[in-house]
Amino acid sequence: MEDYNKVIESLGVRYIKAKNLVLQQPFTVKNSYDVGNNLILLHKGRISFGDEDQVVEEGEMLFIPGGRATKVTYGEPSPKSITNDDLITNKDKFFHSNTDLDLIGDAEESHSFVSFEAKVFDSVNFFASLDVPAFLITGNSKLANLVIKVVEESLQDLPGRERLITIYTENIVVEIVRYILKNKMFVEQLATNSTYFKDPRLIDLFNYIKENIGGDLSNKVLSGVANVSEDYVGQYFKMLTGINPQDYIEYQRMERAVFLLRTTKKSIRDIGKEVGYKDTAYFCRRFKMMFGIPAGKMRRRESAMNI
């Protein structure tokens, strides 16, 4: 349990967004994807997910880890199947965003969701690092109430709004981790993650990569940071994290690029350079390969979500 307390204490949590949505027409998104973690609370209607079309009952929650593409059906099964790109581009055709506090949970075919980051030492995406699929959360009224509280706060301009949203979002992350532990889910993955706290050299690598995301992060450089040989550093990193260091670095670079696209007006060319890509065309190809949509559409994602 001590290691799990260390995990929770090390997590840097950042709220991204929250909404109450009403379904306009049934559809299936073949590869629902976001860099943030998404916790979806079904109020009324029907949601199913995964290759087996597991059903989410009213009052239950669907957790989709960031970076994990998942098949999700909203409403009754329908022949209408779209891609994540289609959903982002035409969100208003499928969902109506409710802003009336009194109507939250009352509309037919409606759900609320909270999107957030949870990073170990502000460097590693915790839930993504577990490499687990989307999963159902049942019988947890406390967690469901936290989702509603975040949505309600996000719809009001009251003193202390940001503070409460931060507190509630941190509580959500703790409750999800507790749910995983209580139900003994992903035991092997959690055991592997505990290695983050047993080797300070790995933490040094995480921090160095984060602080030098646009610079030289070759294995030669990393070997100097970790004080291991250049030939061994890749094996060392993968042994502790389950991922090749250069794959990890690319994900971190792309995640930083998403943040810059959403929060700044910098050009795609400048963003690519800032995160370590001198060739803009190559950056754009890798971006689309990783997220399934062009960088320009990711930039428009926030406005498309605010329907």
Side-chain angles (χ1 to χ4, degrees):
M1 188 59 68
E2 181 182 353
D3 281 345
Y4 299 137
N5 282 328
K6 288 182 179 178
V7 170
I8 293 171
E9 289 301 315
S10 73
L11 290 178
V13 177
R14 184 178 73 87
Y15 164 81
I16 299 175
K17 60 179 174 283
K19 289 185 182 296
N20 177 239
L21 298 178
V22 180
L23 185 67
Q24 300 293 90
Q25 59 174 305
F27 71 98
T28 296
V29 55
K30 296 180 289 186
N31 58 336
S32 182
Y33 183 96
D34 198 349
V35 293
N37 306 288
N38 283 276
L39 181 61
I40 301 170
L41 167 62
L42 178 62
H43 297 299
K44 292 184 178 181
R46 187 182 191 277
I47 294 176
S48 60
F49 68 99
D51 294 335
E52 303 300 321
D53 292 316
Q54 184 174 356
V55 175
V56 182
E57 302 290 348
E58 293 178 358
E60 295 181 341
M61 287 157 284
L62 169 61
F63 180 66
I64 305 178
R68 185 83 183 212
T70 305
K71 174 187 171 186
V72 182
T73 297
Y74 296 92
E76 292 298 323
S78 165
K80 189 173 187 62
S81 183
I82 64 173
T83 66
N84 198 57
D85 192 0
D86 296 330
L87 178 59
I88 292 169
T89 305
N90 303 292
K91 189 94 177 182
D92 57 341
K93 292 182 180 179
F94 300 102
F95 291 117
H96 164 70
S97 183
N98 169 50
T99 58
D100 187 336
L101 291 174
D102 294 331
L103 296 181
I104 293 176
D106 287 340
E108 297 298 324
E109 298 290 350
S110 66
H111 69 270
S112 294
F113 78 92
V114 178
S115 180
F116 58 89
E117 285 182 352
K119 292 186 175 182
V120 180
F121 299 114
D122 288 327
S123 300
V124 180
N125 283 296
F126 175 67
F127 294 108
S129 71
L130 293 178
D131 192 27
V132 297
F135 61 89
L136 193 63
I137 297 178
T138 64
N140 196 318
S141 59
K142 181 177 180 180
L143 188 53
N145 287 334
L146 285 168
V147 172
I148 294 173
K149 285 181 178 180
V150 173
V151 172
E152 288 177 341
E153 286 295 329
S154 72
L155 293 175
Q156 302 176 85
D157 188 18
L158 297 175
R161 170 180 178 269
E162 300 299 329
R163 180 71 178 273
L164 283 178
I165 285 177
T166 297
I167 292 171
Y168 293 149
T169 306
E170 289 178 344
N171 285 354
I172 283 173
V173 173
V174 172
E175 287 300 321
I176 293 173
V177 174
R178 285 179 173 178
Y179 185 87
I180 289 172
L181 294 174
K182 179 180 178 181
N183 291 278
K184 299 180 180 179
M185 303 168 70
F186 321 125
V187 175
E188 291 183 6
Q189 294 94 322
L190 283 168
T192 299
N193 268 260
S194 68
T195 60
Y196 293 154
F197 314 100
K198 295 177 181 177
D199 193 329
R201 294 175 298 176
L202 186 59
I203 297 171
D204 288 343
L205 281 173
F206 289 153
N207 289 332
Y208 185 85
I209 291 168
K210 178 184 176 182
E211 293 168 5
N212 298 275
I213 199 66
D216 181 4
L217 293 174
S218 63
N219 280 6
K220 181 177 181 179
V221 171
L222 298 182
S223 67
V225 175
N227 196 27
V228 298
S229 71
E230 182 179 350
D231 292 336
Y232 177 65
V233 69
Q235 180 183 342
Y236 161 78
F237 191 94
K238 188 170 184 178
M239 177 178 65
L240 293 180
T241 66
I243 186 173
N244 179 286
Q246 295 307 317
D247 290 339
Y248 169 78
I249 289 166
E250 180 169 51
Y251 185 83
Q252 294 300 309
R253 283 176 164 160
M254 289 301 180
E255 189 177 65
R256 177 64 181 171
V258 169
F259 175 78
L260 293 171
L261 285 165
R262 287 175 166 175
T263 60
T264 75
K265 295 183 179 180
K266 294 179 180 180
S267 68
I268 291 175
R269 179 173 178 270
D270 288 343
I271 289 174
K273 284 186 175 182
E274 186 170 331
V275 299
Y277 293 87
K278 295 179 181 179
D279 186 333
T280 304
Y282 179 70
F283 165 67
C284 290
R285 286 197 302 273
R286 296 300 300 172
F287 189 98
K288 185 172 182 180
M289 185 176 295
M290 181 169 289
F291 298 119
I293 61 174
K297 283 195 174 181
M298 181 65 81
R299 162 156 278 162
R300 296 192 293 271
R301 181 186 179 97
E302 288 304 291
S303 58
M305 294 295 282
N306 292 326
I307 54 177

